[in-house]
Amino acid sequence: MKIITVVAALLFWGACTVNIYDYSSHSGGGSQPPDTVFIESGPESAPLPPPFVPDTVFWEYDLIGEGHVEIEQCGNWSRYTLIGCVAETDGVAFEARPVMISVVSSDGAVAREYQIEFACRMQSYLVDSDGESSAVGSSTSLSSADRTALPAVTGTELVTIVANRTSFPFLVEQAVSYDGNWLADGTLVYDAVFSSSEWMIRDICTAGQLVVSSESPDYRMLFGDSERRLLQQFFDIFVIHDGEPPVLPVGSAERAVRN
């Protein structure tokens, strides 16, 4: 009888995997003594969780005025983009979109990255009149063949943002991305993304006077009070207070899940 019991015990141990954890590499030492032996069944009886990638969730946070913040979230990654800060003049419509990207680590630390996007529409006559120095369009005949490519001149300013008395020039070759196209009606549209910093976003969003200017094509526009109010709200709510209004609610979050 003893022989049968011993043989059965050996078969049981042979069908299992023995893992020894000495906790020597753990800073906390763990709650178990170093010589603890754990007996686990074989890998065929321990199914792994199925792979799962969460869909990115999109929603909008409405601000006071004609603007909102587009919010994208996926896991510990979030992106916040201000929409609606537009300045317009004859032939030009220019939108400035400050962006904050945050990543939360496993220990709760938050790493942030800042960008600023520019979206511009301008009539072709503005680009025509500036000759070869234009940074955003072809200087010669604006035929459909010429408009397939928009040459960028190295070292040429795309635009300059003036916040109070501080000028921030944005060079084409420093853009993270640049995409320009000619529309069928002759309108030139471009989108450009530039890396930024928190202090630059702060100066632009909190400026008492904000101007965008370009030398080629030549234009200069002043952002109005409503646009500067949108910038201020974006900075207060999302950059400073992580999405929570500082005192009173100034908007509402409307969540819409999309793939």
Side-chain angles (χ1 to χ4, degrees), residues 195-212:
S195 294
S196 185
S197 60
E198 183 175 354
W199 66 266
M200 182 187 294
I201 294 294
R202 178 200 64 206
D203 286 359
I204 291 175
C205 289
T206 61
Q209 185 179 64
L210 191 66
V211 175
V212 56

Side-chain angles (χ1 to χ4, degrees), residues 115-188:
Q115 295 178 338
I116 186 162
E117 300 179 358
F118 301 133
C120 185
R121 297 174 62 94
M122 64 181 68
Q123 300 299 317
S124 59
Y125 70 84
L126 291 172
V127 183
D128 283 342
S129 63
D130 282 292
E132 296 183 358
S133 61
S134 176
V136 296
S138 175
S139 61
T140 57
S141 173
L142 297 179
S143 66
S144 59
D146 295 329
R147 293 173 178 173
T148 58
L150 299 174
V153 181
T154 300
T156 300
E157 293 180 10
L158 182 64
V159 293
T160 296
I161 300 293
V162 183
N164 293 330
R165 296 184 178 180
T166 305
S167 295
F168 299 102
F170 294 89
L171 306 183
V172 177
E173 77 273 11
Q174 292 179 344
V176 174
S177 65
Y178 176 86
D179 180 30
N181 292 285
W182 292 100
L183 302 183
D185 63 356
T187 302
L188 170 64

Side-chain angles (χ1 to χ4, degrees), residues 6-230:
V6 170
V7 171
L10 290 175
L11 290 175
F12 171 76
W13 280 79
C16 300
T17 302
V18 179
N19 297 326
I20 300 177
Y21 299 87
D22 61 6
Y23 292 91
S24 60
S25 61
H26 291 206
S27 58
S31 59
Q32 302 290 339
D35 59 348
T36 300
V37 177
F38 295 89
I39 301 176
E40 300 174 351
S41 58
E44 65 277 3
S45 60
L48 296 175
F52 175 73
V53 178
D55 290 339
T56 301
V57 179
F58 296 78
W59 75 93
E60 296 177 356
Y61 189 107
D62 292 331
L63 302 175
I64 294 177
E66 299 297 323
H68 63 272
V69 176
E70 288 187 350
I71 303 174
E72 306 167 59
Q73 287 189 337
C74 182
N76 63 343
W77 177 91
S78 301
R79 176 186 175 94
Y80 308 89
T81 306
L82 175 64
I83 303 296
C85 183
V86 180
E88 294 186 67
T89 189
D90 291 340
V92 182
F94 182 90
E95 182 176 6
R97 302 171 181 168
V99 177
M100 183 180 75
I101 302 170
S102 66
V103 179
V104 181
S105 63
S106 58
D107 61 359
V110 180
R112 291 180 173 178
E113 176 185 349
Y114 298 91
Q115 295 178 338
I116 186 162
E117 300 179 358
F118 301 133
C120 185
R121 297 174 62 94
M122 64 181 68
Q123 300 299 317
S124 59
Y125 70 84
L126 291 172
V127 183
D128 283 342
S129 63
D130 282 292
E132 296 183 358
S133 61
S134 176
V136 296
S138 175
S139 61
T140 57
S141 173
L142 297 179
S143 66
S144 59
D146 295 329
R147 293 173 178 173
T148 58
L150 299 174
V153 181
T154 300
T156 300
E157 293 180 10
L158 182 64
V159 293
T160 296
I161 300 293
V162 183
N164 293 330
R165 296 184 178 180
T166 305
S167 295
F168 299 102
F170 294 89
L171 306 183
V172 177
E173 77 273 11
Q174 292 179 344
V176 174
S177 65
Y178 176 86
D179 180 30
N181 292 285
W182 292 100
L183 302 183
D185 63 356
T187 302
L188 170 64
V189 296
Y190 72 79
D191 291 276
V193 180
F194 292 86
S195 294
S196 185
S197 60
E198 183 175 354
W199 66 266
M200 182 187 294
I201 294 294
R202 178 200 64 206
D203 286 359
I204 291 175
C205 289
T206 61
Q209 185 179 64
L210 191 66
V211 175
V212 56
S213 65
S214 170
E215 294 183 358
S216 180
D218 184 21
Y219 63 83
R220 179 181 175 87
M221 294 181 291
L222 181 69
F223 287 92
D225 292 341
S226 58
E227 287 74 35
R228 290 189 292 103
R229 189 177 299 114
L230 291 176

